[in-house]
C-alpha cells in the first residue's frame, strides 16, 4: 500500500508517468528516477503535493481511496497471491537498496 501511495503521488505530480511509455527500459528507468529525485527535492523545499493532484485522495469525498481503487487508477494488477508478490517486491527493494548503497560508496570513494 505504501508503494502504491508513493507511486500515486509521483503520477499526480509528474503527469508524464500517466502516459503510455514506449521508450527503452533504460530511458524509463532514468525518467522514473528523475521524477523520484525531483519529487523528493520538492518535498524537502516545502512544496507539498496539492490534494487535487494526489490520486490517493478522492477529490469528491476528500477521503483516502481504497487500495483496489488506486490499483485501478494506476492500471495495476490485483495480485491473486499476495505472499508471492510480497517476497518478490522485498527482493527487488533489497537489491535496489544495495545497488544504490554501493553506488553511493563508490562516489564517496572517488571524492576522497
Amino acid at each position: 500500500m505504501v508503494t502504491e501511495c508513493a507511486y500515486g503521488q509521483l503520477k499526480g505530480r509528474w503527469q508524464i508517468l500517466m502516459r503510455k511509455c514506449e521508450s527503452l527500459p533504460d530511458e524509463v528507468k532514468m525518467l522514473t528516477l528523475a521524477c523520484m529525485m525531483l519529487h523528493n527535492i520538492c518535498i524537502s523545499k516545502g512544496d507539498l503535493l496539492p490534494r487535487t493532484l494526489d490520486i490517493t485522495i478522492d477529490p469528491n469525498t476528500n477521503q483516502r481511496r481504497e487500495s483496489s481503487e488506486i490499483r485501478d487508477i494506476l492500471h495495476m494488477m490485483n495480485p491473486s497471491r499476495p505472499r508471492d508478490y510480497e517476497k518478490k517486491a522485498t527482493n527487488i527493494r533489497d537489491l535496489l537498496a544495495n545497488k544504490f548503497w554501493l553506488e553511493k560508496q563508490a562516489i564517496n570513494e572517488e571524492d576522497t
Side-chain angles (χ1 to χ4, degrees), residues 12-37:
R13 187 183 296 268
W14 311 110
Q15 297 292 310
I16 192 168
L17 296 174
M18 298 288 279
R19 298 185 200 144
K20 180 181 178 183
C21 185
E22 296 178 359
S23 299
L24 297 172
D26 285 343
E27 293 170 346
V28 173
K29 175 184 168 184
M30 291 305 294
L31 172 71
T32 304
L33 289 173
C35 289
M36 291 168 60
M37 290 174 64

Side-chain angles (χ1 to χ4, degrees), residues 74-89:
L74 296 176
H75 305 290
M76 296 174 73
M77 296 184 333
N78 194 5
S80 57
R81 295 176 299 190
R83 295 284 180 208
D84 292 342
Y85 289 102
E86 288 173 12
K87 289 176 187 175
K88 288 178 185 176

Side-chain angles (χ1 to χ4, degrees), residues 16-69:
I16 192 168
L17 296 174
M18 298 288 279
R19 298 185 200 144
K20 180 181 178 183
C21 185
E22 296 178 359
S23 299
L24 297 172
D26 285 343
E27 293 170 346
V28 173
K29 175 184 168 184
M30 291 305 294
L31 172 71
T32 304
L33 289 173
C35 289
M36 291 168 60
M37 290 174 64
L38 290 170
H39 182 73
N40 289 339
I41 290 169
C42 289
I43 290 171
S44 71
K45 298 292 183 185
D47 181 25
L48 301 178
L49 184 67
R51 288 181 80 80
T52 55
L53 295 179
D54 187 353
I55 66 171
T56 62
I57 305 294
D58 186 337
N60 298 323
T61 63
N62 264 351
Q63 299 294 318
R64 183 166 292 281
R65 289 183 166 134
E66 294 291 325
S67 61
S68 59
E69 187 177 358

